[in-house]
Amino acid sequence: AQSVSQHNHHVILSEAASLELGCNYSYGGTVNLFWYVQYPGQHLQLLLKYFSGDPLVKGIKGFEAEFIKSKFSFNLRKPSVQWSDTAEYFCAVIPSGSARQLTFGSGTQLTVLP
Amino acid sequence: NAGVTQTPKFQVLKTGQSMTLQCAQDMNHEYMSWYRQDPGMGLRLIHYSVGAGITDQGEVPNGYNVSRSTTEDFPLRLLSAAPSQTSVYFCASSGSGNEWDTQYFGPGTRLTVL
């Protein structure tokens, strides 16, 4: 079945550590890729997205993600995390021709220790 | 703009009761959708609408009905609530042009079915 996989369910880091969250998808055709973030008690917000062009995408708050087509991956990175980055992070995909239907991964809870 | 609004924020139902979750957006977005969020499962699409008068099923439509009589409103109806419908429900909308694939989420409704 077509899906989105986030293998890290819970990541705990200290402030200033580097972050990389994995995301893999199983769709064979063209896809639009997203990372959303959900801060405690808040609704989902878009961090960044990839539609086409440069596979290295920069988003808000210093986050970036790299689309590697050969690996079906779209990993999220940040060189130095802050306590305020504590949140749940969701990778999502819109496959081509799916009428904007977002398919989400199961999410990764990031806890940053001060 | 208020963006995407949802009411109520919290609701407790007994098994078999019915209720409607309200969703409204003031961005003139043509696309609206409903998701449910369950621990360890990310967000799953329930129903979506590509415009007034047009709705379709998502990944988990059973037990839910929707209608789209106006561009602004997209209510979700539970006809006979079941404990399996205990979840957090998010409504989202997206527009057209360059932002067609960016969905804006509401604050969510936390529903408990006893």
Side-chain angles (χ1 to χ4, degrees), chain B residues 13-19 78-83 85 111 113-114:
Chain B
L13 294 177
K14 295 181 179 179
T15 297
Q17 287 185 314
S18 63
M19 81 159 295
L78 285 70
L79 298 179
S80 179
Q85 294 178 305
L111 175 67
V113 182
L114 303 175

Side-chain angles (χ1 to χ4, degrees), chain A residues 9 32 34 36 38 41-46 49-51 88 90 94 98-107, chain B residues 30-31 35 37 40-43 45 48 50 57-58 90 94-96 98-103 105-108:
Chain A
H9 298 294
N32 288 10
F34 306 81
Y36 280 86
Q38 187 177 28
Q42 296 188 26
H43 57 89
L44 275 79
Q45 303 171 39
L46 181 67
K49 66 179 181 180
Y50 172 79
F51 183 71
E88 190 157 18
F90 294 94
I94 296 180
S98 69
R100 312 193 204 187
Q101 295 181 49
L102 269 171
T103 299
F104 284 86
S106 57
Chain B
E30 56 192 23
Y31 182 90
Y35 295 85
Q37 182 182 24
M41 303 188 73
L43 281 79
L45 182 65
Y48 66 96
V50 299
Q57 297 180 349
F90 289 98
S94 64
S96 57
N98 291 335
E99 294 295 309
W100 70 269
D101 59 349
T102 299
Q103 296 196 22
F105 285 82

Side-chain angles (χ1 to χ4, degrees), chain B residues 3 21 49-50 52 59 87 94-95 101 107 112:
Chain B
L21 308 185
S49 168
V50 299
E59 180 185 356
S87 187
S94 64
D101 59 349
T112 301

Side-chain angles (χ1 to χ4, degrees), chain A residues 37-114:
Chain A
V37 61
Q38 187 177 28
Y39 297 103
Q42 296 188 26
H43 57 89
L44 275 79
Q45 303 171 39
L46 181 67
L47 263 183
L48 49 80
K49 66 179 181 180
Y50 172 79
F51 183 71
S52 64
D54 189 344
L56 185 60
V57 180
K58 295 190 183 300
I60 61 173
K61 302 187 180 185
F63 287 90
E64 64 180 29
E66 184 175 13
F67 169 52
I68 303 179
K69 189 174 182 179
S70 60
K71 296 185 178 180
F72 298 89
S73 70
F74 190 56
N75 293 354
L76 181 71
R77 300 194 294 246
K78 186 172 184 179
S80 177
V81 295
Q82 301 173 321
W83 176 79
S84 58
D85 293 324
T86 294
E88 190 157 18
Y89 293 80
F90 294 94
C91 181
V93 170
I94 296 180
S96 175
S98 69
R100 312 193 204 187
Q101 295 181 49
L102 269 171
T103 299
F104 284 86
S106 57
T108 297
Q109 175 64 48
L110 172 65
T111 301
V112 180
L113 304 175

Side-chain angles (χ1 to χ4, degrees), chain B residues 30-77:
Chain B
E30 56 192 23
Y31 182 90
M32 296 185 74
S33 54
W34 276 101
Y35 295 85
R36 59 177 289 172
Q37 182 182 24
D38 302 293
M41 303 188 73
L43 281 79
R44 292 179 291 168
L45 182 65
I46 304 171
H47 285 284
Y48 66 96
S49 168
V50 299
I54 306 170
T55 64
D56 207 344
Q57 297 180 349
E59 180 185 356
V60 289
N62 292 342
Y64 307 95
N65 283 347
V66 292
S67 60
R68 183 95 179 269
S69 57
T70 67
T71 299
E72 294 79 18
D73 301 298
F74 190 44
L76 178 72
R77 297 185 186 86

